[in-house]
Amino acid sequence: MAQVPDKRRPVLVTDFEGGIKDWDSWYTWRKLPKQSPAALLLSFPLSVYQLLVNTLDVTTPSSGKPDSRVPLCVHLLGPELELNFIPLFSELALLLPYHDITLVMFGPSVAKLMEAAVAEGVDDSPLRRSVEGNMPIFKYDAPDDLGSGSIQIMLHPFATWDQVELEHLKSNHPDRLPDALVALNAGLASYSSWLGVIGTAYERNIPFGVTEYAEQSLEHAIPAATRRPPSPLQEIAFNPFHRPGQRQLPTYKMPNLHNGFTLVV
């Protein structure tokens, strides 16, 4: 008996007319009703997609082919909320067919999580195995008919990402510097630690893109972080995959959105 197609299943993303450009197109492709709260959480992986494909131009959904897969290494800096729903980043494997994605998470919250896993001492914990064996905390392979994209997510014990850490990474993986750096709701103007990251990314010619809550924050971010005025290439853009709804801060009267705006650092 022939298998009945699942009407809830999306099509291969490169066969979807018009592509995935915003929440309207994503919901249509995913065959979800607009009442679905998916966007409240999927804003994080979809914002990474926006940064890689439309902000930094690192890759496109059509870059990979069945006989020519695209390896893609991305470092996600400063994740906090994202650690609560790591499996949702599997959406990237569907959005980028014939890609093999390695997403490495760095940051103080990541380091604390890994320290807690070691202290807890549960031998068969996936997190403990990830810490001690340098193994992915999560892996996903998309079905063949949806592009067989793959993603593995790694947690890195370094609390910060700068020149020292990058040299250590090079010594262990000399042929695999990241293809891109991304940070969500980064707060470039709020944390001095970004200065070292920006300098290293510039020296190594690594594309670096961020999202931020408010457009005004990004207008002040580069001068605050680098002590230099922004260049014409550092264009601020509205992120079509921001989390729906205004961020609840009564002191702000202007748009203030989770992953609201993007910037090429």
Side-chain angles (χ1 to χ4, degrees):
M1 180 182 294
Q3 187 175 7
V4 177
D6 187 347
K7 294 182 179 180
R8 298 170 300 177
R9 189 182 180 88
V11 299
L12 179 65
V13 71
T14 49
D15 292 341
F16 179 71
E17 186 175 356
I20 308 300
K21 299 178 179 178
D22 50 25
W23 284 126
D24 282 337
S25 55
W26 182 82
Y27 267 83
T28 301
W29 172 66
R30 269 302 202 163
K31 300 179 181 178
L32 291 173
K34 277 300 189 67
Q35 293 86 349
S36 168
L40 297 176
L41 293 179
L42 268 296
S43 171
F44 291 90
L46 267 292
S47 292
V48 171
Y49 170 81
Q50 176 72 10
L51 290 171
L52 294 176
V53 172
N54 297 312
T55 303
L56 298 175
D57 296 322
V58 171
T59 190
T60 69
S62 59
S63 294
K65 306 296 179 186
D67 59 349
S68 180
R69 299 182 67 89
V70 177
L72 185 64
C73 181
V74 181
H75 289 181
L76 175 60
L77 309 185
E80 293 178 346
L81 291 176
E82 299 91 318
L83 296 173
N84 294 319
F85 38 82
I86 284 175
L88 293 183
F89 284 88
S90 60
E91 192 73 5
L92 292 171
L94 296 172
L95 290 164
L96 295 172
Y98 311 112
H99 284 64
D100 296 310
I101 305 165
T102 299
L103 183 67
V104 187
M105 295 185 172
F106 290 77
S109 295
V110 178
K112 289 180 182 178
L113 183 64
M114 299 181 80
E115 290 170 5
V118 172
E120 194 173 277
V122 180
D123 292 337
D124 61 349
S125 162
L127 184 55
R128 179 71 179 268
R129 293 197 298 270
S130 173
V131 173
E132 297 185 345
N134 193 31
M135 301 289 290
I137 189 66
F138 176 81
K139 294 178 68 175
Y140 173 74
D141 296 313
D144 289 345
D145 62 329
L146 295 181
S148 66
S150 73
I151 185 168
Q152 61 175 352
I153 298 178
M154 312 286 292
L155 302 180
H156 206 283
F158 292 145
T160 59
W161 190 102
D162 59 19
Q163 188 69 36
V164 175
E165 279 76 4
L166 188 59
E167 291 297 335
H168 179 80
L169 286 173
K170 281 182 61 184
S171 66
N172 291 333
H173 306 281
D175 59 340
R176 204 71 186 107
L177 291 180
D179 297 297
L181 303 178
V182 296
L184 305 177
N185 300 315
L188 288 183
S190 301
Y191 304 101
S192 59
S193 57
W194 285 120
L195 184 58
V197 175
I198 293 169
T200 300
Y202 178 79
E203 291 171 5
R204 300 288 182 174
N205 197 29
I206 301 172
F208 182 20
V210 303
T211 67
E212 190 58 273
Y213 296 114
E215 184 175 12
Q216 187 181 40
S217 297
L218 286 178
E219 290 174 350
H220 296 286
I222 295 301
T226 65
R227 310 300 188 265
R228 296 179 180 178
S231 77
L233 294 177
Q234 291 160 335
E235 180 180 352
I236 299 169
F238 178 72
N239 178 17
F241 297 107
H242 71 84
R243 195 172 83 174
Q246 174 82 350
R247 187 167 169 241
Q248 295 303 310
L249 288 177
T251 55
Y252 284 87
K253 302 302 181 183
M254 61 185 68
N256 195 278
L257 312 167
H258 288 271
N259 297 312
F261 301 88
T262 63
L263 175 73
V264 179
V265 182

